Amino acid sequence: MKVAHLEINAANEENAAQIAELFHVLFGFEPKYGNSSIFVGDKMIEIVKENGRGTNGHICIAVDDMAKAMDELKGKGVAFDESSAKYKNGRMTVAYLKDEFGGFAVHLLQK
């Protein structure tokens, strides 16, 4: 398991652009504008133009084996928001944990 990206919730498109510009000016991270978000820092940071999941945003954890990672976390008492699951070719590729950590939602992403 490893952190894939950190997503920051912005109030709106203008606010997202301001945040992206700060990362660009301060750290040289080139912004990559998309329809709903802006990525900076080689896609390590995502700024969502309108609030997404989590009070402040979300943290994406990439995993090699989704089922194994979920079983391991469930064994540690973690609950998942089953309604958040996304599938591709019949396999789960995304699942959010039920609880936030420090104002951030957390989700697993199948590599």
Side-chain angles (χ1 to χ4, degrees), residues 11-23:
N12 53 44
E13 190 169 349
E14 181 181 344
N15 181 232
Q18 291 168 341
I19 295 167
E21 185 60 20
L22 278 173
F23 278 105

Side-chain angles (χ1 to χ4, degrees), residues 2 39 51:
K2 71 175 191 168
F39 279 95
N51 283 336

Side-chain angles (χ1 to χ4, degrees), residues 7 25-26 29 32-33 35 56-57 64 72 75-76 78 82 96 105 107 109:
E7 183 257 6
V25 169
L26 296 176
F29 297 164
K32 293 180 177 80
Y33 290 83
N35 292 333
N56 301 316
D64 291 324
E72 180 180 330
K76 295 177 180 180
V78 172
E82 301 298 332
Y96 276 86
H107 77 81
L109 173 68

Side-chain angles (χ1 to χ4, degrees), residues 14-65:
E14 181 181 344
N15 181 232
Q18 291 168 341
I19 295 167
E21 185 60 20
L22 278 173
F23 278 105
H24 179 66
V25 169
L26 296 176
F27 306 109
F29 297 164
E30 199 65 41
K32 293 180 177 80
Y33 290 83
N35 292 333
S36 61
S37 65
I38 305 167
F39 279 95
V40 295
D42 198 27
K43 293 194 173 188
M44 287 298 295
I45 301 169
E46 178 184 15
I47 304 146
V48 174
K49 296 177 183 179
E50 302 220 3
N51 283 336
R53 280 187 177 261
T55 303
N56 301 316
H58 75 256
I59 301 167
C60 174
I61 307 294
V63 299
D64 291 324
D65 185 324

